[in-house]
Amino acid sequence: MSETIKSFLTNDHRTCDEEFANLENKVMSENWQEAIKLFFEFEKQIKVHFDMEEKIMFPAFENKTGMNEGPTQVMRMEHAQMLNVVSLMKDDIEKKDKKHFLGLSESLMMLLQQHNMKEEQMLYAMADAHLADECSLIIEKMKELKRD
Ligand SMILES: [Fe+2]
Ligand SMILES: [Fe+2]
């Protein structure tokens, strides 16, 4: 079976999860030099993921379904909320505040898990159903964004 919006973005969630786990490990072992490096990698990864959704997939879904105030709006709000936590995590790395960082990273993990579950179980499946004929073009555009 060919690639779907669901399979492509779900795989990208897994990549973000791995980056996040690596970052947490470096903070746990107080390897601050590596931690800041991995922080920037994770931050880039998650921002590109949110951009692929907000700039490409969500608008295509909204145009097709006319659902502008529905699930995509909720997802956008959750992205903003998570990016806020991510930026606070950076402050903690700079201050080498392991305990506070781990509190934030636990919150982020919960938010991210719930968010990704909603996307993977509902939104992505809806997107594949509604956007069946444009699916490969949308995936191609998302990949372009990732390459930038
Ligand atoms: Fe999302
Ligand atoms: Fe996502």
Side-chain angles (χ1 to χ4, degrees), residues 13 49-50 53-54 58 75-76 79 82 115-116 119 123-124:
H13 282 168
H49 182 86
F50 291 168
E53 295 179 338
E54 291 188 16
F58 292 177
M75 294 301 118
R76 282 192 171 93
H79 290 169
M82 289 188 279
H115 178 85
N116 290 352
E119 289 185 337
L123 187 60
Y124 294 168

Side-chain angles (χ1 to χ4, degrees), residues 27-122:
V27 173
M28 217 97 83
S29 58
E30 297 182 57
N31 187 339
W32 300 108
Q33 217 176 345
E34 280 294 301
I36 195 74
K37 227 173 81 187
L38 290 184
F39 172 83
F40 287 123
E41 279 174 30
F42 169 68
E43 185 190 40
K44 182 164 183 251
Q45 183 78 35
I46 199 161
K47 280 186 173 170
V48 170
H49 182 86
F50 291 168
D51 274 353
M52 290 195 296
E53 295 179 338
E54 291 188 16
K55 292 184 177 164
I56 295 163
M57 198 278 263
F58 292 177
F61 179 84
E62 289 159 357
N63 285 338
K64 188 78 174 197
T65 62
M67 291 169 69
N68 297 311
E69 308 296 327
T72 49
Q73 271 319 95
V74 179
M75 294 301 118
R76 282 192 171 93
M77 275 168 41
E78 292 181 359
H79 290 169
Q81 189 187 8
M82 289 188 279
L83 286 179
N84 186 41
V85 180
V86 170
S87 79
L88 296 173
M89 284 164 56
K90 185 180 167 214
D91 297 339
D92 284 340
I93 297 176
E94 282 166 349
K95 285 185 279 186
K96 304 186 178 170
D97 190 339
K98 174 175 163 177
K99 194 165 170 248
H100 196 259
F101 175 96
L102 292 175
L104 288 178
S105 70
E106 201 184 314
S107 311
L108 181 65
M109 179 55 98
M110 295 247 300
L111 292 170
L112 204 52
Q113 273 176 353
Q114 289 168 2
H115 178 85
N116 290 352
M117 204 189 294
K118 282 183 271 187
E119 289 185 337
E120 290 170 23
Q121 294 182 359
M122 292 169 34

